[in-house]
Amino acid sequence: MSIGAMIGDILRSLFKKPATQRYPYERYPTPDRLRGKLFYDPTKCTGCQLCIKDCPSDAIELIVLDKVNKRFVMRYNIDRCTYCAQCVQNCRFDCLSMSNEQYEMAALQRQPFEVFYGRDEDVQFLLERATREDPEAQPCQPPA
Ligand code: SF4
Ligand code: SF4
């Protein structure tokens, strides 16, 4: 490319609208079906564990506190999740869903990637039990 053509390109580019988005200051609306962070509704869960068996990345675990009274807490390891939605599709009780708004999960530490879902009292019970068993343990993250 000649110098003249190059200067022409530069001058044209100076007055053209940028082709790129000024992320994170600007964001396009996300599609409704975007698969972001997984959410769990414990009120409908039967504890069948089908979602756990189907997860190809071992990203979810169901902690059974009391099966008779359906007290379950789901541990979700976001950093292992591939957002495949296999668990969502296979839950017959509609307990799982994926957010199309929460998809920016980058963090400098691993800890925010471990999330516990369940009824507030059950998550609290689990966190207290974990602290009693290992007082040095880092506090777990309640669901965002
Ligand atoms: S598949 Fe659904 S009902 Fe079964 S354990 Fe998972 S979330 Fe609960
Ligand atoms: S979306 Fe896929 S990888 Fe993530 S928890 Fe569900 S089954 Fe596992």
Side-chain angles (χ1 to χ4, degrees):
M1 181 186 267
S2 71
I3 294 284
M6 200 185 295
I7 289 173
D9 271 357
I10 291 169
L11 288 175
R12 266 192 302 280
S13 300
L14 279 177
F15 298 103
K16 264 203 310 209
K17 208 172 156 222
T20 49
Q21 192 183 14
R22 293 183 65 237
Y23 180 87
Y25 307 107
E26 292 173 3
R27 287 178 168 88
Y28 292 123
T30 51
D32 290 342
R33 295 180 63 197
L34 182 134
R35 298 195 300 244
K37 186 176 179 181
L38 182 72
F39 282 93
Y40 165 70
D41 177 359
T43 58
K44 295 186 264 178
C45 183
T46 62
C48 70
Q49 308 250 6
L50 200 58
C51 54
I52 314 298
K53 288 187 194 119
D54 284 340
C55 176
S57 6
D58 203 16
I60 44 177
E61 178 194 354
L62 197 71
I63 300 162
V64 180
L65 297 179
D66 181 350
K67 190 156 189 181
V68 175
N69 294 309
K70 299 196 184 321
R71 289 179 62 201
F72 306 113
V73 174
M74 180 171 280
R75 186 205 311 259
Y76 174 41
N77 287 98
I78 304 174
D79 54 340
R80 289 193 208 149
C81 182
T82 58
Y83 308 100
C84 65
Q86 190 72 35
C87 54
V88 179
Q89 278 172 19
N90 290 353
C91 175
R92 287 171 289 169
F93 301 94
D94 230 8
C95 307
L96 298 167
S97 59
M98 301 192 95
S99 168
N100 73 332
E101 290 171 351
Q102 293 191 39
Y103 57 92
E104 295 159 304
M105 260 80 75
L108 294 175
Q109 317 248 320
R110 281 202 75 191
Q111 203 194 340
F113 295 117
E114 187 181 57
V115 173
F116 288 81
Y117 291 130
R119 290 180 182 86
D120 289 347
E121 62 272 23
D122 291 341
V123 174
Q124 194 59 34
F125 172 81
L126 191 74
L127 299 184
E128 283 169 9
R129 191 176 74 182
T131 311
R132 271 198 308 274
E133 285 168 7
D134 182 4
E136 297 294 307
Q138 293 290 315
C140 308
Q141 297 293 307

